[in-house]
Amino acid sequence: MVRAQVVLSSHEAQPLAQPGRLAGGACAPSARRRLAWFVRPQNRTTGSHTMSTQHHRVTLVSLPPESRIAKAYASTNLADAYSIELPSGASTNPELLARFIFSHQAPWISSLIAVRDAIVGRFGLKTAKQLTSLGAESKTGRVGIFKIYGTSPTEIVLGEDDKHLDFRLSVLCSTQPSPGGKRQLTLSTVVHCHNRLGRLYILVIAPFHRLVVQSSLRSAARIGWPLATEA
C-alpha cells in the first residue's frame, strides 16, 4: 500500500484519462492493471532464501565435463544443460536442491505430464503414476518420479530406464564459488534411445523438455532456494 501511494503521488500532475476511471475516482480494471506494474514487488521472501530477479536468469551451457552423466552413454539422442546462480547462503546440497526443484514446479507442468502419460501409456511405456508407485514399493531411493543412480557432495544423478530409451538427469553444484561467494547450479540431461519409438518420442518431447527445465529452475529461484542451514 505504501508503494502504491508513492507512485500515485508522483503522477498527480498527469492523471489517468477519464475513460480509465469509474465514478468516485476508482480505477477501472484496465487502469488497475497498468498500476500493477508499478507496485510489483522487487524481491520475494519465503521461508527459504530472499531472491532478487537477477538470480532468476537461466542460461544454456555446455554439459559439465565433471558431471557423472557426461559419459553415461556411448551415444546420446539428447544432451543439454541449464545453469542458474545460487545466492550467497543458499544450500549446495544437491539432493536437497533436486527435491526442492521437482516439488515446486509450475502447475502447467503437471498438466503436461498428464497429457504425456495418456499418450505413452498406450505404447506400454512407464507413466508418472507408475513411477511414483515404484518409489513407494521399492527401497531404492527416488526424487519425485526419478530413481536415484548416484550421489556425491556436489552432484545427484537421477533417471530411469525404459524399453524405448534411458535417460539421466544431473543436479550439480559448482565446487568453487565466484568472487561474490555464489555458486552455479546446473541441471543436465542426457538421453540414449533404443529404437525408433524412442527417437520419435524425443523428437516430439524435446521442446517441452527444455521449457520444463527452464521453468523449474526459475520457479525454484522465485520461491527461494533452501538455506545452507536446512541441509
Side-chain angles (χ1 to χ4, degrees):
M1 292 300 295
V2 174
R3 173 64 176 159
Q5 290 170 1
V6 172
V7 172
L8 288 173
S9 63
S10 65
H11 290 73
E12 287 177 351
Q14 298 180 2
L16 294 172
Q18 286 302 115
R21 289 189 170 276
L22 302 175
C27 291
S30 60
R32 285 198 297 270
R33 284 194 292 270
R34 288 195 293 270
L35 288 175
W37 288 98
F38 293 96
V39 297
R40 281 184 176 177
Q42 297 303 308
N43 294 286
R44 293 176 181 263
T45 304
T46 69
S48 300
H49 199 286
T50 303
M51 294 285 293
S52 62
T53 54
Q54 66 180 338
H55 297 115
H56 299 168
R57 182 178 301 173
V58 177
T59 306
L60 177 65
V61 297
S62 300
L63 199 67
E66 68 270 27
S67 172
R68 288 181 57 186
I69 72 171
K71 298 180 180 180
Y73 304 115
S75 63
T76 57
N77 299 88
L78 181 148
D80 59 31
Y82 290 88
S83 180
I84 192 169
E85 184 181 88
L86 292 174
S88 300
S91 174
T92 55
N93 181 317
E95 181 173 345
L96 176 64
L97 294 173
R99 292 187 185 280
F100 187 82
I101 291 168
F102 295 118
S103 63
H104 291 85
Q105 293 178 307
W108 64 265
I109 294 178
S110 296
S111 300
L112 186 63
I113 292 175
V115 173
R116 177 260 182 201
D117 285 355
I119 296 173
V120 304
R122 299 183 179 184
F123 295 92
L125 306 182
K126 297 175 183 176
T127 65
K129 185 177 181 180
Q130 290 171 331
L131 294 174
T132 301
S133 65
L134 286 176
E137 298 170 0
S138 173
K139 294 182 179 180
T140 303
R142 300 185 84 89
V143 173
I145 63 174
F146 306 119
K147 180 180 177 181
I148 298 176
Y149 280 87
T151 60
S152 75
T154 59
E155 182 179 31
I156 182 168
V157 176
L158 311 171
E160 194 64 52
D161 295 342
D162 208 339
K163 65 181 183 181
H164 65 312
L165 59 79
D166 301 339
F167 71 91
R168 297 293 183 268
L169 303 174
S170 160
V171 174
L172 175 72
C173 293
S174 58
T175 56
Q176 296 297 324
S178 65
K182 298 169 184 175
R183 298 176 185 267
Q184 294 291 321
L185 179 150
T186 303
L187 178 53
S188 308
T189 308
V190 293
V191 179
H192 172 70
C193 296
H194 300 309
N195 48 41
R196 288 183 180 179
L197 177 59
R199 290 188 289 273
L200 176 61
Y201 176 87
I202 283 300
L203 180 66
V204 173
I205 211 72
F208 300 102
H209 154 76
R210 297 185 182 102
L211 290 175
V212 167
V213 171
Q214 295 177 74
S215 171
S216 299
L217 291 175
R218 290 194 190 100
S219 293
R222 291 191 185 103
I223 293 169
W225 297 102
L227 298 174
T229 55
E230 300 176 31

